[in-house]
Amino acid sequence: MISMWDVLSSESFNNLIDTLIMNNTVRRNFLAVAEKDLYRRLVLVNRDDRPQKVQEDKFYTLRNMLYSLDKALGGGLICRQARRKVFEILVGKIFREDVEKRDAHRARYGHCPPCFITISPGKACNLRCVGCYASSSAASSQSLDYEIVSRILREKTQLWGSHFTVISGGEPLIWKSRGKGILDIAEEHNDNYFLMYTNGTLIDKDVAAKMAQLGNITPAISVEGFEEQTDARRGKGVHKKILAAFDNLRQVGVPFGISITATGHNAEIVVSDEFIDYYFGQQGAIYGWIFQYMPIGHKYTMDLMVTPQQRLMLYRREQELLKEKRIFFADFWNSGPVSNGCISAGRPGGYFYIDWNGNVMPCVFFPYTVDNIMEVYQKGGDLNTVLNSAFFKAIREWQSDYSYLKPRDQVGNQIVPCIIRDHHRIARQIVERFGARPADKAAEEALRDREYYQGLTAYGEEVARLCDPIWEKQYLRANHYN
């Protein structure tokens, strides 16, 4: 007997879906229905009883994701294989398979597993950017073995039903092990969809063509603004190489986005109309991620951070973009309501991070560790061993006590969600309580630097002072239900 999934997975059905997706009228009608259904489920039904504006932020974010895909499809920016993989993995795998494995994990451990991991297989990079969180350079030799990376991906898929993986670095396209690289990983694990953060300078025509052939990888390419700002931080001529990478990706239909490090020098630029129109309009970026500069890594400096006033400006401007521009553009700090707050330490719906030495950390910007994945494997453990460490559990307990799934009138301010940046005192207490080790020399120096501790603590307090009234008025007290 043929099951419904056999029908959905068949070549004829895929061909039908492909035809319908590329029909502008059909796609636009679907979008209209999907937008109404999203609003109904997220805002009107609100099954988890979240603050209304939290749900509205989620609605606008998901709506914009749909409209960004529609624009890319209409503009011919997504090739057939990429369309297939989006449907097969992000729809088929997540909505069909993951539910069962998440439920099984919750029955055994009392909580759902994370949705993804971020892994940096190698530290080496062909650039040397000012304030790099990873302290990367061409001289960096730290690297994970190909089989370790492959095992990590295989385990998370089998144990958690996780089919989404984030690749960071260093520069991922430099990493090589056993004669293989990151595109070989994507090819081997073709049941995963990969988001790869890259400087873009190595995406030539051959690399772009391979990505198009695979269909399950999207590069998020780092920019700091326009040419002047990007070259100032990343090196002369880098922006021209990025534009060439954009062109190579557009020609073969690989969907790509941009990754922006917001600093005190470029905060106003990266949310300007000119910036948005240039990258999302002229260059064809489908999505954008803002990472506010975090003072860790090579020659960390508090001076590069966005000021508390700029942080507030970014939040207000990002809210305008969310509602008006219909682009998928998220800030890993200011967009905290969309994820119900901090997503580190393997929280349900969240992730944890593994670096080039195998160190397992709560997130990319929290460089302290109690476990090393290679040591865990040698002792017979697996990813669940590190997920259930006391260190990670303590962070997840803080997330729950502060904000995550609290009653709607008690939800802590999710505009300032980050334990390491916005609540640094709490992060430091947990690090000291569990004897978490610095992952590198810069993290060790920061741990001893009293001015660093006092500066980040004062920063978080000032941002909270500016943003708490917004949270109280617009999120906790407001009720716009009809």
Side-chain angles (χ1 to χ4, degrees):
M1 183 176 180
I2 299 176
S3 70
M4 177 59 72
W5 184 250
D6 290 330
V7 174
L8 294 176
S9 301
S10 68
E11 183 68 18
S12 60
F13 184 79
N14 281 330
N15 288 336
L16 174 61
I17 289 296
D18 201 59
T19 300
L20 292 175
I21 284 175
M22 295 312 295
N23 184 296
N24 288 338
T25 301
V26 171
R27 200 173 61 249
R28 297 291 166 77
N29 288 338
F30 168 79
L31 275 176
V33 173
E35 182 175 353
K36 290 180 181 178
D37 186 58
L38 270 178
Y39 188 83
R40 180 188 64 81
R41 289 190 293 110
L42 291 174
V43 181
L44 300 180
V45 176
N46 190 4
R47 184 183 62 183
D48 295 325
D49 196 29
R50 301 293 86 212
Q52 182 183 342
K53 187 164 172 17
V54 165
Q55 296 303 101
E56 290 175 351
D57 285 0
K58 293 174 185 174
F59 161 72
Y60 284 117
T61 299
L62 291 174
R63 181 205 68 171
N64 291 359
M65 182 185 297
L66 291 174
Y67 276 96
S68 295
L69 283 171
D70 171 64
K71 182 179 178 181
L73 290 166
L77 298 177
I78 305 181
C79 67
R80 191 168 190 261
Q81 180 66 357
R83 297 196 298 269
R84 288 282 183 90
K85 285 298 181 180
V86 167
F87 180 76
E88 175 189 329
I89 300 174
L90 296 186
V91 177
K93 297 292 185 184
I94 289 176
F95 290 108
R96 178 176 179 262
E97 294 182 4
D98 287 12
V99 173
E100 295 178 5
K101 291 183 178 179
R102 285 197 297 266
D103 287 348
H105 189 281
R106 180 168 52 193
R108 180 176 180 182
Y109 295 103
H111 59 85
C112 286
C115 283
F116 67 101
I117 64 166
T118 296
I119 184 168
S120 291
K123 186 178 181 181
C125 184
N126 58 321
L127 303 182
R128 191 164 177 81
C129 305
V130 177
C132 172
Y133 85 94
S135 302
S136 297
S137 72
S140 302
S141 60
Q142 295 97 317
S143 175
L144 289 175
D145 183 80
Y146 184 94
E147 294 303 322
I148 291 291
V149 176
S150 187
R151 177 177 175 178
I152 290 168
L153 299 186
R154 186 167 57 250
E155 274 190 3
K156 80 177 187 65
T157 303
Q158 294 173 350
L159 293 174
W160 306 335
S162 166
H163 295 274
F164 182 62
T165 301
V166 175
I167 302 294
S168 189
E171 169 50 50
L173 290 170
I174 284 183
W175 174 69
K176 290 288 185 290
S177 172
R178 300 177 184 253
K180 299 179 180 180
I182 204 64
L183 298 185
D184 297 295
I185 280 286
E187 184 171 18
E188 179 181 346
H189 297 272
N190 60 10
D191 59 350
N192 268 249
Y193 198 85
F194 293 85
L195 169 64
M196 179 180 69
Y197 289 104
T198 171
N199 61 45
T201 61
L202 303 179
I203 302 178
D204 58 20
K205 293 184 183 299
D206 290 339
V207 170
K210 180 63 174 180
M211 289 181 180
Q213 177 189 342
L214 294 172
N216 66 333
I217 187 165
T218 176
I221 299 176
S222 299
V223 296
E224 311 294 328
F226 298 103
E227 182 174 19
E228 178 184 351
Q229 295 80 27
T230 300
D231 284 4
R233 183 164 186 245
R234 296 185 171 269
K236 186 174 178 57
V238 168
H239 193 260
K240 285 185 171 61
K241 293 179 180 179
I242 289 171
L243 295 186
F246 288 163
D247 186 52
N248 293 335
L249 294 165
R250 285 194 302 266
Q251 287 185 24
V252 294
V254 173
F256 66 89
I258 55 174
S259 172
I260 308 119
T261 301
T263 71
H265 303 316
N266 71 354
E268 289 75 15
I269 292 171
V270 299
V271 289
S272 66
D273 285 334
E274 293 79 9
F275 179 89
I276 298 300
D277 293 343
Y278 180 71
Y279 285 104
F280 289 88
Q282 297 177 42
Q283 297 300 326
I286 296 175
Y287 57 86
W289 302 108
I290 285 186
F291 296 89
Q292 297 176 31
Y293 171 78
M294 180 69 186
I296 60 174
H298 178 67
K299 295 183 179 179
Y300 65 82
T301 170
M302 301 286 288
D303 296 338
L304 276 179
M305 292 181 71
V306 297
T307 67
Q309 292 73 25
Q310 287 176 314
R311 173 88 172 259
L312 180 59
M313 177 278 298
L314 284 171
Y315 168 77
R316 288 173 170 160
R317 177 60 178 151
E318 288 158 3
Q319 286 285 304
E320 293 176 358
L321 294 173
L322 188 65
K323 296 174 183 177
E324 297 172 5
K325 288 289 188 178
R326 290 190 173 184
I327 57 171
F328 185 82
F329 191 62
D331 183 320
F332 269 80
W333 284 267
N334 291 346
S335 299
V338 176
S339 60
N340 293 322
C342 175
I343 61 172
S344 71
R347 199 205 79 182
Y351 83 111
F352 59 76
Y353 173 55
I354 301 176
D355 78 356
W356 41 79
N357 290 318
N359 293 317
V360 185
M361 289 167 269
C363 82
V364 172
F365 301 103
F366 197 142
Y368 301 96
T369 178
V370 298
D371 284 311
N372 183 284
I373 193 61
M374 291 180 287
E375 295 173 1
V376 169
Y377 284 160
Q378 289 169 2
K379 294 176 182 178
D382 57 22
L383 289 180
N384 282 333
T385 305
V386 298
L387 178 62
N388 291 291
S389 70
F391 180 47
F392 277 13
K393 284 182 177 178
I395 294 172
R396 294 198 297 267
E397 287 171 2
W398 172 81
Q399 291 165 342
S400 296
D401 291 342
Y402 173 69
S403 180
Y404 178 58
L405 297 186
K406 295 276 284 186
R408 77 151 61 199
D409 60 341
Q410 299 175 31
V411 175
N413 187 348
Q414 293 174 348
I415 306 173
V416 287
C418 178
I419 188 170
I420 188 69
R421 180 189 180 92
D422 300 327
H423 305 271
H424 190 71
R425 183 181 288 108
I426 301 296
R428 183 67 68 88
Q429 290 171 354
I430 294 176
V431 166
E432 293 173 354
R433 177 182 167 192
F434 293 97
R437 305 180 301 275
D440 55 27
K441 183 178 179 181
E444 182 179 359
E445 291 173 353
L447 204 60
R448 297 195 304 262
D449 188 340
R450 187 64 184 172
E451 290 186 5
Y452 177 88
Y453 172 82
Q454 292 173 339
L456 267 187
T457 300
Y459 179 90
E461 291 172 349
E462 179 61 11
V463 172
R465 186 187 69 81
L466 293 173
C467 294
D468 280 350
I470 296 173
W471 182 256
E472 289 288 333
K473 181 179 179 181
Q474 297 185 23
Y475 288 84
L476 296 189
R477 297 177 188 171
N479 190 337
H480 305 297
Y481 289 111
N482 295 324

